[in-house]
Amino acid sequence: VQLQASGGGLVQAGGSLRLSCAASGSIFSINAMGWYRQAPGKERELVAAITSGGSTNYADSVKGRFTISRDNAKNTVYLQMNSLKPEDTAVYYCYYSDYADDYWGQGTLVTVSS
């Protein structure tokens, strides 16, 4: 499975960004996709996840601000990030997980200026 992420960039606090991640290759119909992030000097943390059935999970720090969604026909997951804060600055990694293994995208940098 290959993952291609896009949509990162620089935004002012309070602004919005939308990340996309397209999966290709041997996609199993039952899977989970989502986003982790890693800020400088910190451990990687789960931001949001969504299963192929549509169940979602969010980190407490992003609830009410971020929305994860997916298009199963395109094997693509999206992360709409609103009301961004400087503490959201990090490299965001897309992931795909099925019964066999986990796969990671290359990471996309999100920088939120104050």
Side-chain angles (χ1 to χ4, degrees), residues 8-108:
L10 173 64
V11 65
Q12 289 187 332
S16 299
L17 282 175
R18 188 191 194 209
L19 305 182
S20 300
C21 178
S24 61
S26 298
I27 306 299
F28 189 60
S29 59
I30 300 175
N31 61 67
M33 296 183 71
W35 299 88
Y36 278 72
R37 68 186 180 187
Q38 187 165 21
K42 294 187 177 181
E43 295 185 352
R44 190 174 295 191
E45 63 174 355
L46 176 68
V47 177
I50 184 168
T51 69
S52 48
S55 297
T56 58
N57 184 36
Y58 293 93
D60 288 342
S61 59
V62 307
K63 285 181 180 177
R65 301 187 298 122
F66 291 10
T67 302
I68 191 168
S69 61
R70 63 186 290 165
D71 183 335
N72 287 337
K74 296 181 179 179
N75 295 317
T76 299
V77 63
Y78 306 95
L79 185 67
Q80 178 66 43
M81 305 184 293
N82 298 327
S83 302
L84 282 160
K85 304 175 180 180
E87 51 263 44
D88 294 316
T89 295
V91 177
Y92 284 68
Y93 296 92
C94 170
Y95 82 91
Y96 165 95
S97 177
D98 62 27
Y99 78 99
D101 212 335
D102 299 330
Y103 301 85
W104 295 89
Q106 78 279 17
T108 184

